[in-house]
């Protein structure tokens, strides 16, 4: 069965710190890994990583996919209070009946204190 | 303009009632989804429609019935509501799934359903 495990489950940092979130997965025929940020409402899309795009960066956020280790990290540098959220990792398998079927991890709750 | 919208945002109802949640997207996407996020915050897919055709149907009680009148709308009807149905239900949409390219999904704001 496909599985997505995120760590840590939660962390508290001070503004300006750098955080690294981890996501490990087991999936049949990996197709994509996605990162989302969830504040009070809808998960907001951050990045999608695939075999052809293993590294993404946007501003202070960056993410890398390690297909050998079946894992991904999400880095947030120079954290701000607005980065406080739950960060969700999701994986999509590559079999026909897995397309679009995102398997989510439990999320990492990040709290950035001023 | 809201990309993926859901109504209502909150729904409080008693056990045994029937209720519906509506979703609309204006992104021009072909595929729409329903997810359930329970109290432990796990997001789990329930259904997906592609151009009005049901393509994903996870192990969900048959009290839940999705319906897509057109590719911009996906509704979820729940019969005989139970306490365990209390959760946040998210609608999402994406471009059409193909062999060649995976696409990211965009989520609506969620509907918090409370069954008393």
């Amino acid at each position: 069965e496909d599985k997505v495990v995120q760590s840590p489950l939660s962390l508290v940092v001070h503004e300006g710190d750098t955080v690294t979130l981890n996501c490990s997965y087991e999936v049949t025929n990996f197709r994509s890994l996605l990162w989302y940020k969830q504040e009070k409402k809808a998960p907001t899309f951050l990045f999608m990583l695939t075999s052809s795009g293993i590294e993404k960066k946007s501003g202070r956020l960056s993410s890398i996919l390690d297909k050998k280790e079946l894992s991904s990290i999400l880095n947030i540098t120079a954290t701000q209070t607005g980065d406080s959220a739950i960060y969700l990792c999701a994986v999509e398998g590559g079999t026909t009946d897995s397309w679009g079927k995102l398997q989510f991890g439990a999320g990492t709750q990040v709290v950035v204190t001023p | 303009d809201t990309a993926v919208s859901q109504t209502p945002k909150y729904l409080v109802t008693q056990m045994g009632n029937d209720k519906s949640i509506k979703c609309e997207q204006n992104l021009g996407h072909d595929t729409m989804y329903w997810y359930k996020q329970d109290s432990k915050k796990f997001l789990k897919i329930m259904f997906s429609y592609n151009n009005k055709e049901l393509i994903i149907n996870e192990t969900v009680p048959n009290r839940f019935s999705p319906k897509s009148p057109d590719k911009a709308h996906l509704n979820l009807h729940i019969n005989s509501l139970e306490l365990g149905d209390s959760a946040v239900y998210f609608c999402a949409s994406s471009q059409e799934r193909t062999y060649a390219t995976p696409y990211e999904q965009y989520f609506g704001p969620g509907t918090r359903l409370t069954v008393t």
Side-chain angles (χ1 to χ4, degrees):
Chain A
E1 187 179 300
D2 298 348
K3 197 162 69 169
V4 180
V5 178
Q6 292 186 244
S7 63
L9 286 181
S10 65
L11 71 162
V12 180
V13 298
H14 293 294
E15 264 191 317
D17 287 351
T18 293
V19 300
T20 299
L21 311 180
N22 299 285
C23 176
S24 64
Y25 61 88
E26 293 175 24
V27 68
T28 304
N29 295 338
F30 170 85
R31 183 159 137 107
S32 66
L33 183 146
L34 296 88
W35 284 99
Y36 286 86
K37 177 183 180 183
Q38 186 173 24
E39 295 173 88
K40 290 185 179 175
K41 294 184 179 177
T44 304
F45 172 72
L46 295 175
F47 300 118
M48 183 169 69
L49 304 164
T50 65
S51 298
S52 58
I54 63 170
E55 199 165 340
K56 293 284 174 77
K57 183 175 169 60
S58 175
R60 297 177 294 104
L61 276 67
S62 63
S63 183
I64 296 174
L65 176 69
D66 188 335
K67 283 200 69 182
K68 194 173 173 184
E69 296 296 325
L70 306 184
S71 65
S72 173
I73 61 170
L74 176 68
N75 279 318
I76 310 174
T77 59
T79 51
Q80 302 171 357
T81 54
D83 295 327
S84 296
I86 295 174
Y87 290 84
L88 297 167
C89 173
V91 171
E92 181 190 19
T95 57
T96 309
D97 62 355
S98 297
W99 296 351
K101 202 183 290 187
L102 297 184
Q103 180 95 11
F104 280 85
T108 294
Q109 170 109 47
V110 174
V111 175
V112 182
T113 60
Chain B
D1 277 349
T2 305
V4 184
S5 58
Q6 292 179 230
T7 53
K9 287 196 169 76
Y10 300 95
L11 191 49
V12 181
T13 188
Q14 290 185 322
M15 281 176 59
N17 285 347
D18 303 338
K19 290 292 177 189
S20 292
I21 305 171
K22 296 188 175 186
C23 177
E24 177 180 0
Q25 55 93 5
N26 62 7
L27 296 168
H29 288 163
D30 295 294
T31 308
M32 296 183 74
Y33 310 81
W34 278 114
Y35 285 84
K36 179 181 180 181
Q37 189 171 42
D38 59 25
S39 56
K40 294 182 180 177
K41 300 295 186 184
F42 268 103
L43 262 168
K44 289 187 181 174
I45 191 162
M46 301 172 68
F47 302 104
S48 176
Y49 270 76
N50 187 67
N51 278 323
K52 303 193 292 176
E53 179 188 350
L54 182 66
I55 52 172
I56 295 175
N57 186 355
E58 290 297 273
T59 309
V60 174
N62 57 16
R63 299 181 293 103
F64 290 78
S65 52
K67 195 165 280 189
S68 180
D70 56 61
K71 71 176 192 178
H73 295 86
L74 181 62
N75 304 324
L76 183 65
H77 188 76
I78 315 170
N79 289 326
S80 303
L81 278 155
E82 299 177 358
L83 292 176
D85 298 331
S86 294
V88 181
Y89 292 84
F90 286 99
C91 176
S93 73
S94 73
Q95 294 187 52
E96 184 174 359
R97 309 175 325 157
T98 66
Y99 171 76
T101 310
Y103 290 107
E104 62 272 21
Q105 296 177 20
Y106 293 90
F107 284 78
T111 295
R112 183 174 293 277
L113 171 65
T114 303
V115 182
T116 62

